[in-house]
Amino acid sequence: GENVEQHPSTLSVQEGDSAVIKCTYSDSASNYFPWYKQELGKRPQLIIDIRSNVGEKKDQRIAVTLNKTAKHFSLHITETQPEDSAVYFCAASLNFGNEKLTFGTGTRLTIIP
Amino acid sequence: NAGVMQNPRHLVRRRGQEARLRCSPMKGHSHVYWYRQLPEEGLKFMVYLQKENIIDESGMPKERFSAEFPKEGPSILRIQQVVRGDSAAYFCASSPPRGQGEKLFFGSGTQLSVL
């Protein structure tokens, strides 16, 4: 089955700087890669996603890149703000999401004011 | 659209009791997924259901755990004879039918505590 690895497990950045979180996946058939943000005690919330026919996607301060050959994808947050502090999870699935998501182990991002 | 609704938010059970967790998917969504999250860990897939069908239960423990999504009513995750190791947050998610979008939306979860 699919295996998703995520790094780093914790990340601290100064407010205003950029944060990058990286994930690798094992199943070359995976074609959908969402990112979720989870604040303490709350539900995971979808913040951005990318399909395998696209190499990069951007939504305001958040961007995701995908390298299908290397089987890795990354989340980039620019101009970080205190409210970006949370745990971020990457995930991968087949069939563009209408199959189970396999999650990474999460990155705890702390923005230092 | 009320979003994915889970209840109860918190459930306390003693060892050996049964736990029933409920999930109502978003309106128009026909796929339901259950995930378990242990403290400081990621979400682990348990089961994927469509109405009246279990599509993938590869993440479900073989004993004590069962799930259903009846034609009418919410999806139910049932844990019989709970043990302390079952203590976790259980999240339900739903998505539209295939071909109508792939995004998975999560409920607020049920925090199960086994005493």
Side-chain angles (χ1 to χ4, degrees), chain A residues 45-61:
Chain A
Q45 289 194 302
L46 179 68
I47 56 172
I48 195 167
D49 56 8
I50 191 167
R51 296 160 66 130
S52 59
N53 56 351
V54 175
E56 185 174 355
K57 184 177 177 181
K58 190 173 182 179
D59 182 4
Q60 298 184 334
R61 297 187 297 108

Side-chain angles (χ1 to χ4, degrees), chain A residues 36 43 49 96 99 101, chain B residues 35 98 102-104 108:
Chain A
Y36 285 83
R43 74 183 76 190
D49 56 8
F96 294 113
E99 299 286 346
L101 285 173
Chain B
Y35 287 82
R98 191 166 294 184
E102 65 277 0
K103 301 182 192 302
L104 211 63
S108 298

Side-chain angles (χ1 to χ4, degrees), chain A residues 32 36 38 40-46 49 51 57 89 95-106 108, chain B residues 4 9 31 33 35 37 40-43 45 48 56 58 91 95-99 101-104 106-108:
Chain A
Y32 177 65
Y36 285 83
Q38 187 178 31
L40 188 63
K42 296 192 176 180
R43 74 183 76 190
Q45 289 194 302
L46 179 68
D49 56 8
R51 296 160 66 130
K57 184 177 177 181
F89 293 97
N95 293 322
F96 294 113
N98 287 120
E99 299 286 346
K100 64 184 180 186
L101 285 173
T102 300
F103 282 85
T105 49
R108 182 175 298 280
Chain B
V4 180
R9 285 298 311 275
H31 300 228
Y33 308 77
Y35 287 82
Q37 186 176 36
E40 302 297 318
E41 292 190 13
L43 295 110
F45 169 79
Y48 162 34
D56 183 345
S58 57
F91 287 96
S95 67
R98 191 166 294 184
E102 65 277 0
K103 301 182 192 302
L104 211 63
F106 282 86
S108 298

